[in-house]
């Protein structure tokens, strides 16, 4: 479903060339649960941004559902992000001025979905994630776990096929982190493709497929036979 | 994205940065209020002045003694000018196109009737005064004696004089003492109210020759010439200048045609209105800089949010629209606030000083609001473009 062919990403910092991704070849199938691990600076976030069409490869090709998305313009890429991809970030990235419900609604506002449908979908999601009584709260009135749940609700409100989570538990204590992870894993039952970047080996081990990165390269890519979930 | 959502999103940021947004809007508001207030007063004054001036009638040319030099020189250097006389008036009367010639001078005198006295304005005029100017006699009529030294002591009185001295009784045929001399009252003027600050009802009219004697004046203060409406003012002015120069041997007089005076007045008032609007324009410019500043700040503060919006599927154009609308709505709200303040103060002034004419042309109000929106647009373009062009990944990491 997703295929990266010889993808490289180089940043120019001053007169230095920093290679964040080097000649990556990767294929992700629908419904897979993948964890990406590796030391800081190994290119995990860059990889995720690449998969989420936030970043463009310096060279190589990105095929999504068979189509070459590298060549799409801004508007077309935005559309793909809107319809197929959900992002969850370590620092939640909620809009502080908007309520929890409005934050969840945001992708649908950008997509131009009519109000009635938006309200209905938000309500369902808020209920599913146990946030109904927090709908009108601003992010600063929410706990870390609640904020990340709002962020997950927001990431899934457009029913994406791929959910990309960059250290989703990084800013949470252990218990809350696990709760959030369970929530993400629950999405697998709906057939979503889940990619989780993490530092935490224990969390990483839960994925059926574990990718280790180092210095912009894929060091290992192993599938878990004895699924320990 | 729906307009309604756009408004919800932008207003959420105004509500968060209440004070800041208010102050920025205020910058625009003050500019718009200044423009509205000053143009309201300017426009009202304009209409007031034009109305006041044309109350007398429009095809009138005035000749006054002394030469006002445009270069600012002093008449005294060349010796004093000859006074205007009744002979001058007679000479003008014989010019073509001229309908009426009214010699005139103004002064003050004590008026007395049956023990009641009153100090009042005395206008020495010609017998055709009522015909040349748009001022009607209510009862009786102007005297018919020629405008010369033989004119008898007759007076036409203002309605207020009638009220004050006669208690509303019919004064026609009565003898009135003006400055110690006896005058027979032959007419009462229709009430006219104030003209250019003079209460025309608290005035009386006597023959110019008698007024010169009464007020002890060597000459007339002016000679008003009314001419046929189908003749251009310039033609008559030229004829008058030639005849007067002939009479006096040199140009020691000033000719003011009402047509020209109105034009000059009108253009002066236009300039004032324009200057005042320009002043308001400067405050608008300051307001625009305020919007530019606040929007630049907003983009910097919300960089991470812009990255997020892009991650959620916002197009560059949507980010641009968001920030542009914010600038425009802010400016439009400021403009609206300014309109309200401006019209409010104008009307308040009008209530406090009813004599001060106030008039807010609708076109100005609409133009002012459009200007505000345009300013918002112009000031918002650069920051909004910057926001739209941010790299999503880098933006997300800004915090
Ligand atoms: N926008 C950028 N500009 C310059 N260098 C960058 C940028 N983003 C990432 N890098 C560099 O690319 C490398 C990989 O970064 P990243 O993908 O964030 O690593 P990770 O998420 O694994 O910590 C690092 O060396 C980082 O410094
Ligand atoms: Mg990272």
């Amino acid at each position: 479903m997703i295929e990266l062919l010889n993808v490289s990403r180089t940043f120019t910092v001053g007169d230095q060339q920093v290679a964040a991704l080097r000649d990556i070849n990767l294929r992700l199938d629908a419904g897979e649960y993948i964890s990406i691990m590796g030391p800081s600076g190994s290119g995990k976030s860059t990889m995720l941004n690449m998969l989420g069409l936030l970043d463009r490869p310096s060279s190589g090709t990105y095929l999504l559902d068979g189509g070459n998305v590298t060549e799409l313009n801004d508007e077309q890429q935005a559309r793909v992000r809107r319809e197929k991809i959900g992002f969850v970030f370590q620092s939640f990235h909620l809009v502080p001025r908007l309520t929890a419900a409005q934050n969840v609604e945001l992708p649908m506002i950008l997509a131009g979905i009519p109000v009635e449908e938006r309200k209905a979908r938000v309500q369902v999601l808020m209920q599913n994630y146990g946030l109904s009584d927090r709908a009108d709260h601003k992010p600063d009135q929410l706990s870390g776990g609640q904020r990340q749940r709002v962020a997950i609700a927001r990431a899934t409100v457009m029913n994406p096929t791929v959910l990309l989570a960059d250290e989703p538990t990084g800013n949470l204590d252990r218990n809350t982190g696990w709760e959030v992870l369970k929530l993400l894993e629950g999405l697998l039952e709906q057939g979503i493709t889940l990619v989780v970047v993490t530092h935490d080996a224990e969390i990483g081990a839960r994925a059926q497929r574990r990718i280790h990165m180092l210095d912009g390269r894929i060091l290992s890519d192993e599938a878990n036979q004895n699924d320990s979930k | 994205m729906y307009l309604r959502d756009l408004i919800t999103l932008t207003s959420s940021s105004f509500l968060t940065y209440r004070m800041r947004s208010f102050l920025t809007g205020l910058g625009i508001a003050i500019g718009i209020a200044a423009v509205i207030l000053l143009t309201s007063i300017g426009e009202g004054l304009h209409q007031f002045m034009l109305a006041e001036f044309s109350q007398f009638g429009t095809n009138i040319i005035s000749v006054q003694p002394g030469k006002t030099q445009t270069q600012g020189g002093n008449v005294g250097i060349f010796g004093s000018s000859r006074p205007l006389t009744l002979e001058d008036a007679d000479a003008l009367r014989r010019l073509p196109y001229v309908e009426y010639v009214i010699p005139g001078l103004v002064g003050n005198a004590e008026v007395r009737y049956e023990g009641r006295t009153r100090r009042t304005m005395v206008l020495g005029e010609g017998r055709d005064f009522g015909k040349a100017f748009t001022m009607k006699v209510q009862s009786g009529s102007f005297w018919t004696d020629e405008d010369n030294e033989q004119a008898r002591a007759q007076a036409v009185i203002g309605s207020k004089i009638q009220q004050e001295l006669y208690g509303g009784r019919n004064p026609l045929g009565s003898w009135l003492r003006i400055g110690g001399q006896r005058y027979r009252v032959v007419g009462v003027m229709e009430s006219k109210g104030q003209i250019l600050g003079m209460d025309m009802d608290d005035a009386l009219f006597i023959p110019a020759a008698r007024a010169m004697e009464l007020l002890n004046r060597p000459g007339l203060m002016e000679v008003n010439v009314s001419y046929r409406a189908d003749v251009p003012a310039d033609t008559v002015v030229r004829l008058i200048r030639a005849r007067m120069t002939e009479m006096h041997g040199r140009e020691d007089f000033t000719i003011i045609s009402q047509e020209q005076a109105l034009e000059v007045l009108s253009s002066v008032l236009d300039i004032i209105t324009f200057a005042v609007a320009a002043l308001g324009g400067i405050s608008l410019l300051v307001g625009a800089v305020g919007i530019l500043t606040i929007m630049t700040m907003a983009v910097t503060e919300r960089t991470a949010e812009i990255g997020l919006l892009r991650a959620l599927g916002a197009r560059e154009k949507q980010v641009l629209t968001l920030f542009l609308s914010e600038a425009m709505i802010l400016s439009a709200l400021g403009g609206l606030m300014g309109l309200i303040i401006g019209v409010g103060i104008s009307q308040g002034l009008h209530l406090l000083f009813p004599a001060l004419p106030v008039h807010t042309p609708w076109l100005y109000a609409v133009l002012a609001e459009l200007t505000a929106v345009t300013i918002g647009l112009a000031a918002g373009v650069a920051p909004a473009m910057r926001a739209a062009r941010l790299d999503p990944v880098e933006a997300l990491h800004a915090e």
Side-chain angles (χ1 to χ4, degrees):
Chain A
M1 186 196 62
I2 284 180
E3 245 186 310
L4 296 183
L5 302 172
N6 306 318
V7 164
S8 295
R9 178 67 168 104
T10 323
F11 292 103
T12 311
V13 182
D15 49 4
Q16 294 274 66
Q17 295 281 320
V18 181
L21 294 179
R22 298 171 202 259
D23 207 22
I24 299 285
N25 284 287
L26 182 69
R27 191 192 147 88
L28 305 182
D29 289 317
E32 271 192 300
Y33 179 13
I34 302 115
S35 66
I36 301 179
M37 284 179 286
S40 189
S42 56
K44 308 182 295 293
S45 293
T46 307
M47 172 85 102
L48 217 60
N49 293 334
M50 198 63 69
L51 292 173
L53 289 172
L54 273 182
D55 207 350
R56 286 169 190 264
S58 305
S59 65
T61 310
Y62 179 178
L63 300 177
L64 180 64
D65 295 332
N68 186 348
V69 290
T70 330
E71 287 158 6
L72 298 181
N73 64 22
D74 163 68
E75 179 150 358
Q76 293 162 324
Q77 287 201 341
R79 190 191 177 89
V80 173
R81 280 200 297 275
R82 208 156 59 213
E83 292 174 353
K84 297 193 173 173
I85 291 157
F87 278 101
V88 174
F89 305 96
Q90 178 177 359
S91 52
F92 321 128
H93 275 299
L94 299 181
V95 179
R97 289 171 281 115
L98 303 181
T99 64
Q102 285 174 318
N103 265 285
V104 175
E105 201 181 348
L106 202 49
M108 296 189 287
I109 289 176
L110 294 170
I113 291 172
V115 188
E116 305 74 41
E117 192 183 337
R118 270 161 26 195
K119 299 289 175 211
R121 278 211 240 168
V122 168
Q123 210 190 347
V124 170
L125 274 179
M126 297 300 270
Q127 198 140 25
N128 290 353
Y129 292 132
L131 291 163
S132 294
D133 54 340
R134 293 281 179 273
D136 294 327
H137 289 222
K138 295 278 172 68
D140 58 8
Q141 298 167 309
L142 299 174
S143 70
Q146 285 168 337
R147 287 185 210 182
Q148 198 59 304
R149 274 187 279 160
V150 172
I152 294 170
R154 183 179 64 191
T156 53
V157 76
M158 292 291 290
N159 296 317
T161 51
V162 186
L163 197 120
L164 306 168
D166 197 347
E167 312 214 22
T169 63
N171 278 10
L172 302 174
D173 64 57
R174 206 176 150 71
N175 281 339
T176 320
W178 278 110
E179 276 169 33
V180 163
L181 193 69
K182 287 271 157 57
L183 215 57
L184 288 172
E185 287 173 353
L187 298 169
L188 291 164
E189 284 158 26
Q190 298 160 29
I192 213 163
T193 309
L194 179 63
V195 184
V196 179
V197 166
T198 182
H199 263 107
D200 188 328
E202 203 178 337
I203 288 175
R206 294 175 62 83
Q208 288 110 343
R209 184 174 167 193
R210 301 183 300 273
I211 295 173
H212 281 264
M213 291 189 68
L214 186 65
D215 204 14
R217 288 202 176 82
I218 294 177
L219 199 64
S220 68
D221 182 350
E222 45 190 332
N224 216 349
Q225 293 327 108
N226 53 325
D227 193 10
S228 65
K229 195 170 76 173
Chain B
M1 200 160 37
Y2 293 97
L3 184 66
R4 197 162 78 189
D5 297 322
L6 206 60
I7 290 168
T8 312
L9 288 177
T10 47
S11 58
S12 80
S13 76
F14 297 153
L15 288 176
T16 307
Y17 304 108
R18 249 167 246 182
M19 201 52 181
R20 203 167 84 180
S21 308
F22 174 73
L23 288 176
T24 311
L26 198 63
I28 296 290
I30 289 171
I32 295 285
V35 173
I36 288 298
L37 180 62
L38 299 173
T39 47
S40 296
I41 295 175
E43 194 49 34
L45 210 61
H46 198 155
Q47 293 187 357
F48 173 76
M49 295 290 257
L50 287 184
E52 285 287 281
F53 266 83
S54 42
Q55 270 193 67
F56 290 117
T58 39
N59 45 331
I60 287 173
I61 292 169
S62 164
V63 182
Q64 291 167 8
K67 180 85 190 141
T68 36
Q69 246 129 346
T70 36
Q71 285 85 7
N74 195 325
V75 188
I77 296 169
F78 305 102
S80 60
S81 53
R82 277 175 55 180
L84 276 181
T85 62
L86 290 171
E87 288 75 52
D88 291 329
D90 273 337
L92 294 178
R93 203 168 268 131
R94 289 190 293 273
L95 286 175
Y97 312 128
V98 167
E99 286 187 327
Y100 305 107
V101 172
I102 300 98
L105 67 158
V106 191
N108 271 289
E110 200 171 69
V111 188
R112 206 174 147 84
Y113 180 73
E114 284 185 353
R116 294 201 222 189
T117 58
R118 184 173 182 81
R119 209 164 173 84
T120 185
M121 181 163 72
V122 174
L123 291 125
E125 298 291 351
R127 60 173 180 175
D128 294 326
F129 181 84
K131 294 175 195 151
F133 294 99
T134 50
M135 287 180 73
K136 298 262 170 320
V137 182
Q138 182 200 303
S139 62
S141 64
F142 264 82
W143 55 87
T144 49
D145 295 4
E146 299 269 339
D147 294 336
N148 57 30
E149 271 72 25
Q150 277 74 52
R152 282 170 295 164
Q154 293 169 315
V156 176
I157 65 174
S159 58
K160 196 158 185 178
I161 309 269
Q162 184 194 9
Q163 281 298 321
E164 296 294 327
L165 294 187
Y166 292 87
R169 275 178 294 143
N170 181 12
L172 291 184
S174 69
W175 291 96
L176 188 63
R177 288 198 89 83
I178 304 173
Q181 300 175 1
R182 269 157 45 97
Y183 281 77
R184 187 184 277 286
V185 177
V186 294
V188 180
M189 296 301 286
E190 215 170 56
S191 177
K192 183 90 177 174
Q194 301 243 337
I195 294 180
L196 296 171
M198 298 191 293
D199 188 354
M200 297 308 279
D201 297 338
D202 193 6
L204 52 82
F205 304 82
I206 59 175
R210 315 270 340 176
M212 281 197 279
E213 186 200 323
L214 179 77
L215 301 167
N216 195 22
R217 299 274 171 78
L220 299 165
M221 283 165 71
E222 62 177 355
V223 175
N224 283 300
V225 178
S226 88
Y227 55 95
R228 268 169 35 200
D230 57 338
V231 181
D234 289 348
T235 310
V236 186
V237 166
R238 227 174 294 122
L239 287 169
I240 292 174
R241 178 170 294 123
R243 175 59 53 89
M244 284 300 294
T245 312
E246 197 181 299
M247 296 282 295
H248 284 205
R250 62 193 164 103
E251 199 173 328
D252 59 353
F253 52 86
T254 304
I255 301 177
I256 301 165
S257 104
Q258 193 155 23
E259 203 171 290
Q260 289 164 350
L262 280 177
E263 269 168 30
V264 171
L265 180 73
S266 186
S267 60
V268 165
L269 287 171
D270 278 345
I271 290 170
I272 292 174
T273 305
F274 178 79
V276 143
L279 257 153
I282 292 171
S283 18
L284 281 180
L285 199 71
V286 174
V289 173
I291 294 220
L292 177 67
T293 311
I294 202 179
M295 290 316 293
T296 308
M297 271 166 79
V299 172
T300 307
E301 282 167 356
R302 287 193 244 147
T303 299
E305 190 184 312
I306 294 164
L308 169 82
L309 287 175
R310 301 296 304 281
L312 296 181
R315 287 172 279 133
E316 284 179 21
K317 229 167 98 189
Q318 283 179 310
V319 174
L320 184 85
T321 309
L322 268 172
F323 280 88
L324 262 190
S325 331
E326 199 165 315
M328 270 167 62
I329 293 175
L330 189 59
S331 192
L333 288 178
L336 221 57
M337 185 157 72
L339 277 184
I340 294 168
I341 296 174
V343 172
I345 296 180
S346 316
Q347 292 306 319
L349 276 177
H350 188 54
L351 283 179
L352 276 177
F353 313 101
L356 182 77
V358 166
H359 180 246
T360 310
W362 270 111
L363 185 68
Y364 274 61
V366 172
L367 280 180
E369 186 56 22
L370 281 181
T371 309
V373 174
T374 313
I375 285 171
L377 188 70
V381 166
M385 296 251 275
R386 197 164 73 82
R389 287 186 183 152
L390 284 175
D391 177 68
V393 177
E394 278 176 40
L396 267 171
H397 286 294
E399 231 158 333

